[in-house]
Each structure stands twice: as C-alpha cells, then as structure tokens.
Amino acid sequence: MSRCRTWSRVQRYGIAAYRKYSSGSGYPNISLSSPLPGIPKPVFASVDGHEKYETRITTLENGLKVASQNKFGQFCTVGVLVNSGSRHEAKYPSGIAHFVEKLSFSSTAQYGSRDEILLTLEKHGGICDCQTSRDTTMYAVSAEVKGLDTVVSLLSDAVLQPRLLDEEIEMTKMAVRFELEDLNMRPDPEPLLTEMIHAAAYRGNTVGLPRFCPGDNVDKIDKGVLHSYLRNYYCPERMVLAGVGIEHEQLVECARKYLLNVKPVWGTSSVANVDLSVAQYTGGIVKMEKDMSDVSLGPTPIPELTHIMIGLESCSFLEDDFIPFAVLNMMMGGGGSFSAGGPGKGMFTRLYLNVLNRHHWMYNATSYHHSYEDSGLLCIHASADPRQVREMVEIITREFIQMAGNAGEMELERAKTQLKSMLMMNLESRPVIFEDVGRQVLSTGKRKLPHELCDLIKKVFFHSTDIKRVTTKMLRSKPAVAALGDLAELPSYEHIQAALSSKDGRLPRMYRLFR
C-alpha cells in the first residue's frame, strides 16, 4: 500500500482504527441508503413537466410539417421523409423509388458531386443516407448540432435540386443491375421472399408492386420519367422535416430559410396526379424454382434448402388491432435452428418451442409482421430440406390454426414484456427515434410517445380475447404463399388453403398408387 494512501486513512480514521481495518478484521458499517459523512448533498437534474419528452410539430405555410424531439448530446439526426415509395408507381415503370434511392446525395445545384457533399458533412462529423420502402422515402443526416444550418441547406438541395446528370443515371443503372444479381445469389433469401410474398398477397396493386426495379425496366427509366414522378410526389404537403437532438425553434427557422419558398428543379404541377389507391388484399401464390445446392460453398456450406413463406392479412398500423397483432407476432417469434436448443436460452416463443425444438430437420422458422397505412400482412417463413417441404408446410398451417387457441397467462405476459422491452431498447438509438418521429408524423400528423404505446400493450387482454379475435379475423382471409427452391414436394395452393380453413391445420391426405 502506498505511503500517501496509508497517511490519508490514518488522518480519516485514526491510528487504532487504521490498524483494525488494514488487518481486514472489520469495516465501517454504513448503509448504502444513508448519506456519506463529509460528502456534499447531490443536486439531481429535473425537467419541468413533460415538455422535454414531447414531440413538437409545426406546419409551415406551404404545408411542410416540421417535427422535433429534444435529446441530450452534441450530435443530432435530421432528415426529410416523403410520402412516396414503390406503392405509388402504378402509372409509371416500376423501379423509380429504387433509382431515387441510388441517385440520392449525388450532384445538386450547390454541390458538384457526391464527394463535395461528403466533404461538407465531414467538417461537422456527419454522415448521410437515403432509404426507400414501399410507402416512404427517407433522406437522413447525422452531424454535430452546430452544423444544423449547413445540414438543412444540404438536405433541401439533395431533395429538391438534384441535377440527375446522364452519367449519374448510367452509373445508377449499373448499380441497380448489380443489386438485382446479388439479390438472386445471396445465401439469405429473406429480401427476395419478402418481395414475393407481397406480390402474392397484393397482386398487381399498391404494396404488391415491386420494391426493386425489375430487370426489364432498368433501361426505361430516364431523367424525364424521374422528373414526371417527382413533380407529382415531392410536394411540401407530402413531406416532413424531422430532427432529433435539436431545439424545435432552431429547426423551424432553418426550415423556413431553406424549404419554404424553394422551387424544385422539376417545376411544380398545378394539379398533382397522385395515386390514392387503397391496398387490395388478393392472396395467391408466387413460386420460383431455383437450384439452391450451391448457394453457399466453402468449408461449412449451407445445405440445400427450400424456403416457404405463408402469410395472411392482418391490419393497418392506424387500426386499434395493430397492437394485438404486434403482441401475437412477438408470441410467435422464432429464428434460426442454431439458437433453438437447450433450456435456459430464453427461447420461449411458439416457433421455438413447437417447431424448432421438436423438428430437428427444420432449419428456420420466423414470424414477420408487415404493416402499412391501409393493410398488413402477418407471415411465417420456414426452411428445410426439399424432401420435407410438405411436412414443413403442414407444421406452419398448424401453427396458424393454433394461434386462435387460448394463450397462457405467462406466455401472453412474456410476449407483452418482450415487445415493450424491444420498443424501449430500439428507442435508445437517435436514428431510430428520428425514423419513428418522421414516419408517425408523416402518416398521422402526430406522434404516440413510448409510454403511450407501452400502455396500449399492457391493455392487450389475458385469455387473449384480443389475440383470439384478431387471429379469427385473420384466418378468414385467403393465404398468400411464396416458395423458393426445389418445389417438387410443395402442396398445391388449394391444399394449403384447405389446411388453413380446417380445425387442426392438417393438409388433405394424398393417396398415391405408386410410390
């Protein structure tokens, strides 16, 4: 023990006490809940009411909404969300949203190239990204708070003043073709299956239109087509400027400066020709026969698998039943077989307990819930050896039927707790808060705070009057089926539909004269 530390203890406790404590025979018996002697009284930070947590929203004169959420820190995330995506491309060649995503943050009226934009952001420790989905396009920048003026100016330029040069469009065509090749070659089939299940569920309309540009359309999209589309959909009333980690007044001031009286490079349309179609759920099947034997070669190759996704219509995120469906999706859960085995791993969801733990040959079983402003889709993705496809399909249909049975109190409470936990953990991240604020304000004009969502989750009733009701309603819809791989053993669509209409979820028996 160092001499200075020894002397400090002698000063504090006295010689006799120091000898006692240094020998290890005893220490001061001070309760952790009582204040320590000689330590100043702590002063705790406080907030006045709830205003620090609330999302503040202002609508500018041109219809643009500005939404902000204050969050402590020297960095902020700011972006523009547009009510525009692949579902709005009914009157255009499919793939425009895919092109817009790839062309984002390229040369603009102020910036000569993407490199100039990135160098400008670098001065403020910033990064930028653009993502498109079926119903939303999102331009986002994370940077230091003191660079807010530059960030909003850059966002305004990137969204409303892109140059869309011929060489940029040619490079984008190459990038799109590469991505389409990669989509068909990658070992993880989930993005391709998601595309197929939407095409089956909403055949030829709204969210069933392709999110990725079809290969045949790559050469059809040019500057004229892009300008025609952007003129109709990139208007202020279809946009939200959202920010997290900044003062609301500061964001509104920047919005007025850079987004209020800006004329887009494609001009304005006196009458916007906007597709307001409501999603029409049709059900159906989309199959893709494909050799999956050499998808992932190497020292530990993935075995040849057939992938099946079966979905049923759920509800839109604007309906009250959205929360019970979210709880049901969490209750089903699932994942890969590598993490399914053994007690103590916390794998208590139905697809682990009833499927992966009981059927060792099942490679994967996962539940997904896709929800939009006018419809939704709850689906289960499973994969197994091609010779066991029929049995795998029957296992999935049985799980759908059993959803309508009574859930145990512990099972339901666990699913609700997991959902709340996942919600709160995701909302620790600033970019996730930004996306949540932007999407909610874009679709509803307001934002439900996390504690409000947790209260709604708590209200999902035991014995699943809610769960049973939404499942019964869901089972009345026609199934949507996506199948990828060796499909020799795949049951017919009519047999899958019959299984989901039966009491036990079993497929009709097939009798073969010759085996």
Side-chain angles (χ1 to χ4, degrees):
M1 188 180 291
S2 71
R3 187 173 297 173
C4 88
R5 197 182 299 167
T6 304
W7 178 240
S8 70
R9 292 194 178 186
V10 169
Q11 283 182 314
R12 194 180 304 167
Y13 302 120
I15 294 288
Y18 171 67
R19 284 183 186 139
K20 180 181 174 188
Y21 300 139
S22 62
S23 66
S25 59
Y27 286 91
N29 185 18
I30 300 173
S31 167
L32 291 175
S33 60
S34 60
L36 293 169
I39 302 294
K41 189 177 178 182
V43 178
F44 296 103
S46 63
V47 289
D48 304 323
H50 280 286
E51 67 269 14
K52 298 290 183 190
Y53 300 116
E54 287 171 2
T55 302
R56 296 181 62 188
I57 302 165
T58 300
T59 305
L60 302 186
E61 292 81 349
N62 62 354
L64 176 86
K65 292 185 180 67
V66 181
S68 74
Q69 179 83 28
N70 211 341
K71 183 176 168 64
F72 178 76
Q74 67 183 60
F75 276 80
C76 62
T77 299
V78 181
V80 174
L81 290 93
V82 190
N83 186 3
S84 155
S86 59
R87 69 169 295 161
H88 301 107
E89 294 172 357
K91 299 172 185 174
Y92 296 88
S94 287
I96 291 175
H98 194 184
F99 265 70
V100 167
E101 179 182 290
K102 297 294 171 204
L103 283 162
S104 64
F105 296 105
S106 295
S107 64
T108 67
Q110 277 188 58
Y111 301 93
S113 68
R114 187 188 295 262
D115 288 343
E116 272 190 45
I117 289 176
L118 295 178
L119 282 169
T120 304
L121 287 174
E122 254 180 47
K123 291 172 188 171
H124 301 286
I127 54 170
C128 62
D129 187 28
C130 176
Q131 293 178 6
T132 57
S133 62
R134 295 180 190 280
D135 53 3
T136 311
T137 301
M138 181 171 68
Y139 299 80
V141 173
S142 285
E144 285 182 310
V145 175
K146 61 187 179 186
L148 180 66
D149 193 271
T150 305
V151 165
V152 177
S153 167
L154 190 151
L155 279 166
S156 169
D157 225 39
V159 176
L160 299 174
Q161 305 283 333
R163 287 185 183 170
L164 302 180
L165 302 174
D166 290 342
E167 56 265 34
E168 289 172 345
I169 292 174
E170 285 306 313
M171 287 294 289
T172 299
K173 288 179 179 180
M174 286 172 60
V176 167
R177 285 194 182 99
F178 174 80
E179 195 165 331
L180 292 175
E181 278 182 40
D182 179 62
L183 191 68
N184 286 306
M185 290 169 64
R186 63 171 65 181
D188 174 25
E190 199 265 324
L192 188 56
L193 279 167
T194 302
E195 191 78 354
M196 290 165 68
I197 197 78
H198 278 84
Y202 304 93
R203 193 168 289 277
N205 76 90
T206 57
V207 291
L209 298 173
R211 194 175 86 77
F212 298 101
C213 181
D216 296 342
N217 285 0
V218 174
D219 289 322
K220 294 178 185 174
I221 296 173
D222 56 21
K223 188 172 181 175
V225 172
L226 290 166
H227 273 192
S228 170
Y229 176 85
L230 295 168
R231 192 177 300 118
N232 285 315
Y233 287 94
Y234 275 46
C235 43
E237 58 272 17
R238 297 179 66 85
M239 292 182 185
V240 170
L241 174 68
V244 176
I246 31 86
E247 295 291 337
H248 186 70
E249 290 76 14
Q250 203 181 349
L251 187 63
V252 171
E253 186 185 329
C254 289
R256 287 186 184 282
K257 190 173 173 184
Y258 297 112
L259 289 162
L260 187 55
N261 296 311
V262 180
K263 190 176 179 184
V265 71
W266 44 79
T268 52
S269 173
S270 54
V271 181
N273 187 13
V274 173
D275 181 19
L276 299 173
S277 305
V278 175
Q280 301 296 317
Y281 182 87
T282 59
I285 185 166
V286 171
K287 297 189 281 190
M288 188 185 286
E289 287 269 3
K290 190 178 174 189
D291 180 13
M292 307 284 279
S293 58
D294 59 352
V295 165
S296 177
L297 301 174
T300 53
I302 294 174
E304 182 181 358
L305 299 169
T306 294
H307 301 273
I308 305 292
M309 197 179 266
I310 298 178
L312 294 167
E313 187 180 19
S314 58
C315 71
S316 99
F317 56 67
L318 300 175
E319 295 177 47
D320 293 338
D321 285 344
F322 173 66
I323 297 292
F325 269 116
V327 174
L328 175 63
N329 181 52
M330 192 59 69
M331 195 186 293
M332 298 309 294
S337 59
F338 72 94
S339 59
K345 294 194 78 173
M347 305 300 181
F348 288 106
T349 60
R350 286 191 182 182
L351 293 179
Y352 274 118
L353 292 176
N354 301 345
V355 178
L356 294 167
N357 280 343
R358 292 185 187 181
H359 307 284
H360 66 90
W361 46 268
M362 288 279 281
Y363 198 81
N364 175 62
T366 313
S367 173
Y368 296 96
H369 187 215
H370 305 279
S371 199
Y372 304 98
E373 64 183 6
D374 45 13
S375 186
L377 189 65
L378 185 88
C379 40
I380 296 176
H381 166 212
S383 47
D385 186 278
R387 292 165 295 185
Q388 290 169 304
V389 169
R390 185 178 175 82
E391 196 176 344
M392 173 172 69
V393 169
E394 188 168 88
I395 287 165
I396 299 173
T397 55
R398 282 213 308 265
E399 284 305 312
F400 269 114
I401 296 297
Q402 285 167 16
M403 285 181 196
N406 282 337
E409 184 176 4
M410 188 183 292
E411 181 185 31
L412 187 66
E413 285 304 314
R414 184 185 290 120
K416 286 160 66 175
T417 304
Q418 281 181 319
L419 183 59
K420 286 187 280 187
S421 170
M422 189 179 76
L423 174 73
M424 300 309 286
M425 281 194 291
N426 284 337
L427 290 172
E428 291 277 323
S429 163
R430 190 182 62 250
V432 175
I433 300 171
F434 157 76
E435 188 172 345
D436 182 52
V437 169
R439 283 181 180 277
Q440 286 202 50
V441 173
L442 190 65
S443 56
T444 65
K446 58 187 179 184
R447 184 189 179 219
K448 279 183 181 164
L449 295 172
H451 68 85
E452 295 176 77
L453 292 169
C454 286
D455 288 343
L456 291 170
I457 294 167
K458 279 182 195 172
K459 289 175 184 173
V460 176
F461 290 118
F462 167 58
H463 270 322
S464 335
T465 48
D466 282 337
I467 300 290
K468 196 169 185 175
R469 175 175 51 78
V470 298
T471 305
T472 306
K473 178 183 168 187
M474 178 178 72
L475 286 167
R476 293 194 198 111
S477 63
K478 286 176 67 177
V481 182
L484 176 68
D486 180 348
L487 308 179
E489 294 295 317
L490 180 70
S492 69
Y493 179 76
E494 290 72 27
H495 280 191
I496 296 171
Q497 194 171 359
L500 288 167
S501 304
S502 67
K503 288 183 179 178
D504 57 4
R506 291 186 181 277
L507 291 164
R509 296 299 96 193
M510 286 181 67
Y511 300 99
R512 293 181 184 174
L513 192 57
F514 301 105
R515 287 277 174 189

